[in-house]
């Protein structure tokens, strides 16, 4: 499931003074300019009835070649479906199905609330609100070019010194305010970069797209872990 973690990305602007002198010590030190951008992204995201997106997840470990995986995200209200490599996560808003193709197994759980996720980003909403729980200080660090456009870089510093990552970066298109990529930097030198390759707002999905159909997985072992 670690490979389903949505992590950080690049962006731009002038490095704030509190970042330059390394005085960031709490979430209250966050840059209000960065908060304004993030609030705009969230408002636009929440205004959509549904969306579909293709993404690329690049995983890099020290002294190893980067592993790239393609995936898809679909969202409609509280429902979502995310697939990548040999695993799929489906939620109808109440139940969570985790499908593992490599060992032909399906795990069924009640959909956890945010506190129970333990930092694991499972849903599209989590990509946009992970910073909003007092666990990060964030600030604009500059501008760069990515995917043929100018992006603003927002860097997130975890307040928990025991966090698995040292920082997160989010790249946001300066023109459209769309999230371009998110990257997480692990304490072990690993790096996870998620790039949004395409985004279709208010996309229509077929009936049953956000529910598990046992007939589609006839040889899979299904374990129901709901209480």
């Amino acid at each position: 499931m670690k490979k389903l973690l949505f992590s950080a990305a690049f962006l731009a602007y002038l490095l704030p003074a509190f970042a330059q002198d390394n005085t960031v010590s709490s979430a209250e030190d966050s840059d209000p300019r960065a908060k304004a951008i993030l609030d705009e992204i969230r408002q636009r995201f929440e205004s959509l009835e549904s969306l579909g997106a293709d993404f690329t997840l690049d995983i890099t470990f020290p002294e190893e070649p980067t592993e790239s995986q393609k995936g898809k995200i679909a969202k409609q209200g509280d429902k979502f479906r995310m697939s990548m490599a040999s695993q799929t996560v489906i939620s109808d808003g109440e139940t969570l199905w985790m499908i593992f193709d490599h060992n032909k197994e399906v795990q069924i759980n009640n959909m956890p609330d945010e506190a129970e996720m333990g930092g694991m980003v499972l849903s599209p909403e989590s990509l946009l609100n992970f910073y909003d729980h007092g666990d990060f200080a964030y600030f604009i660090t500059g501008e760069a070019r990515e995917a043929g456009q100018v992006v603003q870089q927002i860097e997130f510093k975890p307040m928990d010194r025991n966090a698995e990552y040292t920082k997160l970066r989010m790249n946001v298109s300066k023109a459209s305010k769309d999230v371009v990529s998110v990257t997480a930097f692990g304490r072990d030198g690993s790096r996870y970069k998620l790039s949004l390759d395409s985004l279709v707002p208010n996309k229509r999905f077929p009936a049953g797209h956000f529910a598990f159909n046992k007939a589609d997985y006839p040889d899979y072992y299904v374990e129901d872990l709901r209480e």
Side-chain angles (χ1 to χ4, degrees), residues 18-19 21-32 131 133-139 155-161:
F18 64 79
D21 59 20
N22 199 29
T23 59
V24 178
S25 59
S26 70
E28 285 70 26
D29 293 325
S30 295
D31 183 357
Y131 59 86
H133 302 286
D135 298 325
F136 297 90
Y138 44 88
F139 43 88
E155 187 162 297
F156 301 80
K157 175 184 177 181
M159 296 294 95
D160 182 1
R161 295 185 177 182

Side-chain angles (χ1 to χ4, degrees), residues 132-175:
D132 199 29
H133 302 286
D135 298 325
F136 297 90
Y138 44 88
F139 43 88
I140 297 174
T141 60
E143 293 187 357
R145 292 194 66 85
E146 183 177 357
Q149 58 188 312
V150 177
V151 296
Q152 291 177 298
Q153 177 178 332
I154 300 176
E155 187 162 297
F156 301 80
K157 175 184 177 181
M159 296 294 95
D160 182 1
R161 295 185 177 182
N162 296 318
E164 294 184 1
Y165 37 81
T166 59
K167 61 183 176 182
L168 304 176
R169 285 181 186 164
M170 178 182 287
N171 279 357
V172 178
S173 169
K174 188 175 182 181

Side-chain angles (χ1 to χ4, degrees), residues 1-8 112-123 125-127 129-131 133 135-136 158 160 162-165 168 182 184:
M1 276 303 298
K2 191 172 184 180
K3 291 182 180 180
L4 288 177
L5 176 73
F6 286 103
S7 311
D113 57 31
E114 293 180 2
E116 293 175 327
M117 284 189 181
M120 187 62 66
V121 182
L122 289 174
S123 69
E125 283 85 351
S126 300
L127 175 63
N129 65 16
F130 68 87
Y131 59 86
H133 302 286
D135 298 325
F136 297 90
D160 182 1
N162 296 318
E164 294 184 1
Y165 37 81
L168 304 176
V182 181

Side-chain angles (χ1 to χ4, degrees), residues 20-223:
Q20 292 177 354
D21 59 20
N22 199 29
T23 59
V24 178
S25 59
S26 70
E28 285 70 26
D29 293 325
S30 295
D31 183 357
R33 297 174 303 162
K35 185 178 188 304
I37 293 173
L38 295 169
D39 286 346
E40 181 177 348
I41 293 171
R42 175 186 291 180
Q43 289 169 8
R44 291 174 61 246
F45 178 84
E46 292 178 346
S47 70
L48 301 176
E49 294 183 2
S50 63
L51 66 84
D54 294 332
F55 66 86
T56 301
L57 180 63
D58 294 322
I59 305 170
T60 306
F61 290 96
E63 302 180 1
E64 294 185 18
T66 297
E67 175 188 350
S68 294
Q69 299 182 10
K70 297 288 186 178
K72 294 181 178 294
I73 302 172
K75 177 188 181 298
Q76 183 174 290
D78 294 334
K79 305 174 184 179
F80 70 89
R81 183 186 187 108
M82 182 165 57
S83 59
M84 183 181 66
S86 61
Q87 50 196 359
T88 301
V89 179
I90 305 172
S91 174
D92 62 0
E94 298 181 358
T95 303
L96 184 71
W97 293 272
M98 301 175 66
I99 305 166
F100 303 98
D101 294 330
H102 64 281
N103 58 357
K104 293 189 174 182
E105 181 180 352
V106 180
Q107 294 181 1
I108 306 176
N109 290 275
N110 294 317
M111 183 62 191
D113 57 31
E114 293 180 2
E116 293 175 327
M117 284 189 181
M120 187 62 66
V121 182
L122 289 174
S123 69
E125 283 85 351
S126 300
L127 175 63
L128 298 180
N129 65 16
F130 68 87
Y131 59 86
D132 199 29
H133 302 286
D135 298 325
F136 297 90
Y138 44 88
F139 43 88
I140 297 174
T141 60
E143 293 187 357
R145 292 194 66 85
E146 183 177 357
Q149 58 188 312
V150 177
V151 296
Q152 291 177 298
Q153 177 178 332
I154 300 176
E155 187 162 297
F156 301 80
K157 175 184 177 181
M159 296 294 95
D160 182 1
R161 295 185 177 182
N162 296 318
E164 294 184 1
Y165 37 81
T166 59
K167 61 183 176 182
L168 304 176
R169 285 181 186 164
M170 178 182 287
N171 279 357
V172 178
S173 169
K174 188 175 182 181
S176 66
K177 293 300 184 287
D178 290 328
V179 177
V180 175
S181 62
V182 181
T183 305
F185 297 81
R187 293 191 180 279
D188 59 357
S190 61
R191 185 174 300 187
Y192 297 79
K193 180 178 180 180
L194 182 140
S195 302
L196 289 176
D197 303 322
S198 66
L199 179 66
V200 181
N202 297 319
K203 182 175 181 178
R204 294 186 177 183
F205 300 99
H209 191 65
F210 301 100
F212 172 72
N213 185 354
K214 180 66 172 66
D216 294 335
Y217 305 90
D219 300 327
Y220 283 54
Y221 170 73
V222 178
E223 183 178 13

